[in-house]
Amino acid sequence: MSGKRRADLGPVSKGKKKGKRELTGEFSAAIREELLKKQVAEAWSRRTRFSHDAIVIDPDPFHHCVIPNFIQCQTFLEGLQKELLDLDFHEKCNDLYKFKQSDDLKNRDDLHISALRKVLFEDFRRWLSDIAEIDLESTIDIFCAKYEYTDILLCHDDELEGRRIAFILYLVPPWDKSLGGTLDLYSTDEHLQPKQIVKSLIPSWNTLVFFEVSPVSYHQVSEVLSEGKCRLSISGWFHGPPQTRPSSYFEPLLPRSPHIPRDSEILYEWINPVYMDVDSQAQIQEEFEERSEILLKEFFKSEKYEEICEALEKKDLEWSQQGPPNKRFYETAEEEKLPDVLRDCMELFRSEALFLLLSNFTGLKLHFLAFSDEDVEEHTEDSEEESKNISHVSSKPENYQEGSGHTSQHSKTKTAPEPEKEKAKNKSSVPKCIGELRRWKNGHYTLVHDSKNTEFALDLLFYCGCKGWKTEYGGFTSYIAKGEDEELLTVNPEENSLALVYRDRETVKFVKHINHQSLQQKKTGQNRTGFWDFSFVYYE
């Protein structure tokens, strides 16, 4: 017979069913003392900082609280940790996060999990209701999360109907900031949008963190950098009466521009001759119309591509960080200060000639000379003449040399003048584009977010400097249906490749967070740890 005392397992009582054991647990006796409880409630109400060995409250950047040594019995915690690690975990992965999560714990009957649930949603809930002066409901939201190497939860505010206070109980091995996995808190701007991380809480064994869910409670779990340690936690929300919410802030739309008047010479200067062939364009269009996407490899002439990469490698380029972090985090080039070759490349993507070439690639009407289905029906009699005009982008200028990118000074192909009838017809719907040159490296991403302006669009991505880039690094562009996690399409960065994707109103996209593994690029002989892309969106 074992000599171990039952008290070491935590208090035990008999359940309603014969033979069923039931554990009971207790949270910190110190914070239940009346004097300390009164001081904590006063600090919470006045939104002032309060520090004590047993509890710390801080209103900056938003109301949050840290309670070390939350559960009194260490043996109870060890039993709880064992039960949690024996659970089935499911991979959770989308634009916002990557980690493993258990099923909801509200119906689990494991001894320690049941006891913790009772501590949190009965005893501690009553204490918390008194402190925050909120009538918290008995609703139970509780799950277990495992964060391992490269796992992350990006910037968000936890707002969802009914949630009033979020909590996290950490059951981690000895931990420090170098291991990642910190709970990062963001400051906010005048629009209540997150600005930057101003505080990071390091996970610690048996520490409970809770905070008020509000329009400014932006936080993240930073990427876990440890390859050997698991960041185990129990998280959930206490529910209560709804707070008053301010109106949602919508960013101003980026300005769109019509094409700039450049004729087809610019195409022959830059683009691989294979893509200028009429038959090749017809085949590309056939494939694109079938799948609504295509990847065109070796798109630029090799000498032009090398010029671009050489210019991008220069350290004197100026980059601006893009946010807010609940929507995006990457860098864009200051276009006015770009060297000539990069400015010329941006001009190419905005040129009239490329608008028409993209029409030939996709069948979309991005130029008045490009046919739409309606045009085919309306202009069957003039189709032969129109087709001659359309092919002007594909036809080689006189004295064109394969692969040279040069034409004689007297052989520039002019853009056909726009007929008056077509001018009137398209006056209210001129094809336009928006675009930027972006730099991507460890920590960068974009998120799916609410938009007032969801519409049909053609996405263009041209990748540079991504030789040796691996999918597991992140940085790929993922397309999903609204409200779904399952990917419809993934576009991976590929050297000197042009990706075209046509999306409808119900399709959204994001660039997957670039994780710590991307820093291994230098080990493969690369001088960089990221890549660049020219990103454009075209609207009919």
Side-chain angles (χ1 to χ4, degrees):
M1 184 175 178
S2 172
K4 190 168 187 175
R5 294 184 298 112
R6 295 182 104 190
D8 293 336
L9 299 173
V12 180
S13 63
K14 290 287 186 180
K16 292 182 180 178
K17 293 183 180 179
K18 185 177 179 181
K20 182 180 178 183
R21 287 199 316 157
E22 182 180 298
L23 287 178
T24 57
E26 290 185 335
F27 68 96
S28 170
I31 66 170
R32 285 181 281 145
E33 292 179 359
E34 282 304 316
L35 178 59
L36 183 57
K37 183 178 176 181
K38 183 178 179 181
Q39 292 172 329
V40 169
E42 186 175 349
W44 185 274
S45 173
R46 293 185 176 182
R47 297 189 175 270
T48 55
R49 195 175 192 282
F50 177 81
S51 182
H52 185 277
D53 288 344
I55 188 169
V56 175
I57 290 179
D58 195 342
D60 188 32
F62 54 83
H63 230 27
H64 63 279
C65 178
V66 179
I67 305 175
N69 303 311
F70 179 69
I71 296 293
Q72 295 194 150
C73 178
Q74 287 300 311
T75 310
F76 176 91
L77 287 167
E78 291 164 8
L80 174 63
Q81 182 187 44
K82 184 178 185 306
E83 287 181 359
L84 293 172
L85 291 173
D86 285 339
L87 296 172
D88 291 327
F89 286 85
H90 313 286
E91 185 80 39
K92 304 281 287 183
C93 186
N94 63 12
D95 62 317
L96 185 64
Y97 48 69
K98 184 179 85 73
F99 63 94
K100 292 183 178 68
Q101 182 177 295
S102 71
D103 291 328
D104 198 322
L105 300 181
K106 66 181 177 184
N107 296 318
R108 297 287 306 190
D109 58 4
D110 311 71
L111 288 173
H112 297 82
I113 293 173
S114 298
L116 178 69
R117 198 169 55 231
K118 185 175 185 300
V119 168
L120 288 171
F121 290 93
E122 292 183 23
D123 305 337
F124 184 67
R125 176 173 62 88
R126 286 192 290 269
W127 180 91
L128 192 52
S129 290
D130 292 342
I131 295 299
E133 297 183 340
I134 300 172
D135 186 17
L136 297 174
E137 302 165 4
S138 58
T139 304
I140 295 174
D141 277 342
I142 184 171
F143 62 88
C144 181
K146 280 199 306 186
Y147 288 79
E148 296 170 317
Y149 185 52
T150 74
D151 286 349
I152 195 165
L153 173 59
L154 295 169
C155 181
H156 64 293
D157 61 11
D158 264 13
E159 279 203 284
L160 200 66
E161 190 172 350
R163 293 178 180 176
R164 283 304 302 267
I165 294 177
F167 69 87
I168 311 103
L169 176 62
Y170 297 109
L171 296 171
V172 295
W175 205 274
D176 61 54
K177 195 168 185 176
S178 68
L179 301 177
T182 53
L183 179 64
D184 298 332
L185 311 184
Y186 287 81
S187 60
T188 50
D189 62 18
E190 68 274 17
H191 302 296
L192 304 185
Q193 296 296 291
K195 283 177 62 179
Q196 59 188 9
I197 296 166
V198 294
K199 188 173 185 178
S200 294
L201 302 176
I202 299 171
S204 179
W205 174 266
N206 193 22
T207 293
L208 183 90
V209 175
F210 68 86
F211 59 85
E212 191 173 48
V213 177
S214 74
V216 299
S217 57
Y218 287 102
H219 60 284
Q220 73 166 12
V221 176
S222 67
E223 182 184 355
V224 172
L225 306 179
S226 169
E227 296 190 57
K229 292 186 177 182
C230 169
R231 182 190 186 275
L232 188 71
S233 64
I234 292 179
S235 305
W237 297 271
F238 294 99
H239 289 243
Q243 289 181 302
T244 302
R245 309 284 186 198
S247 300
S248 297
Y249 172 71
F250 289 98
E251 295 176 287
L253 297 177
L254 294 173
R256 300 176 184 180
S257 306
H259 61 63
I260 56 177
R262 291 294 303 272
D263 63 27
S264 59
E265 182 183 1
I266 194 172
L267 303 183
Y268 293 104
E269 183 183 347
W270 283 83
I271 295 174
N272 186 333
V274 71
Y275 296 117
M276 302 303 294
D277 178 74
V278 177
D279 292 334
S280 293
Q281 291 177 19
Q283 184 180 347
I284 289 168
Q285 184 178 137
E286 185 178 339
E287 291 179 23
F288 184 87
E289 288 180 339
E290 183 179 338
R291 303 198 310 265
S292 296
E293 56 93 10
I294 198 162
L295 183 70
L296 306 179
K297 299 185 178 184
E298 302 297 326
F299 187 70
F300 281 169
K301 292 179 175 180
S302 57
E303 63 270 23
K304 276 295 185 184
Y305 181 69
E306 287 169 11
E307 279 186 59
I308 292 173
C309 290
E310 187 179 333
L312 287 168
E313 294 279 9
K314 290 182 178 177
K315 298 185 184 299
D316 57 353
L317 291 182
E318 293 190 27
W319 301 89
S320 298
Q321 186 174 296
Q322 299 301 307
N326 62 324
K327 296 176 181 175
R328 63 190 72 85
F329 181 56
Y330 60 88
E331 295 173 345
T332 57
E334 296 289 347
E335 196 168 336
E336 300 76 16
K337 300 176 182 178
L338 286 175
D340 290 345
V341 67
L342 296 180
R343 199 159 36 227
D344 290 346
C345 189
M346 295 293 284
E347 186 174 299
L348 165 70
F349 288 120
R350 294 190 176 104
S351 69
E352 180 175 12
L354 191 80
F355 270 65
L356 185 47
L357 182 62
L358 291 176
S359 298
N360 289 354
F361 283 163
T362 65
L364 300 173
K365 194 168 178 62
L366 295 171
H367 193 281
F368 74 90
L369 288 178
F371 273 131
S372 67
D373 292 339
E374 293 81 2
D375 294 331
V376 173
E377 294 174 5
E378 291 176 10
H379 301 288
T380 50
E381 292 181 4
D382 300 324
S383 60
E384 185 176 345
E385 184 63 31
E386 288 287 354
S387 64
K388 290 177 184 176
N389 289 333
I390 290 175
S391 67
H392 85 275
V393 164
S394 310
S395 303
K396 297 174 186 174
E398 244 179 275
N399 302 324
Y400 175 69
Q401 299 172 21
E402 285 290 337
S404 70
H406 299 292
T407 61
S408 76
Q409 197 61 31
H410 302 290
S411 63
K412 295 179 183 177
T413 306
K414 302 290 186 181
T415 303
E418 184 173 1
E420 291 301 321
K421 182 179 177 182
E422 291 295 335
K423 282 184 181 179
K425 179 179 176 181
N426 292 294
K427 189 174 182 181
S428 61
S429 58
V430 177
K432 295 183 178 180
C433 73
I434 53 176
E436 56 190 358
L437 170 55
R438 308 186 292 188
R439 179 165 71 175
W440 298 96
K441 56 186 181 180
N442 177 221
H444 287 171
Y445 59 86
T446 68
L447 299 176
V448 172
H449 56 86
D450 294 336
S451 172
K452 295 189 297 182
N453 194 52
T454 304
E455 55 191 291
F456 291 92
L458 175 69
D459 293 334
L460 177 151
L461 289 168
F462 180 76
Y463 291 105
C464 301
C466 50
K467 186 178 180 180
W469 191 264
K470 297 180 181 179
T471 305
E472 55 262 36
Y473 298 167
F476 54 81
T477 299
S478 183
Y479 288 82
I480 60 175
K482 274 186 185 178
E484 303 290 337
D485 283 349
E486 187 176 352
E487 292 177 341
L488 303 173
L489 172 70
T490 298
V491 180
N492 290 302
E494 193 164 333
E495 197 88 339
N496 193 9
S497 291
L498 184 84
L500 298 174
V501 180
Y502 187 59
R503 54 186 163 88
D504 61 21
R505 294 185 180 94
E506 297 303 313
T507 303
V508 291
K509 62 178 178 175
F510 63 90
V511 176
K512 186 63 179 175
H513 173 263
I514 297 177
N515 62 46
H516 191 71
Q517 293 179 92
S518 64
L519 302 179
Q520 296 172 4
Q521 248 193 316
K522 283 207 169 182
K523 295 180 182 178
T524 64
Q526 301 295 317
N527 293 323
R528 68 188 77 89
T529 55
F531 63 90
W532 303 270
D533 67 24
F534 292 83
S535 172
F536 279 76
V537 183
Y538 298 83
Y539 302 90
E540 290 183 284

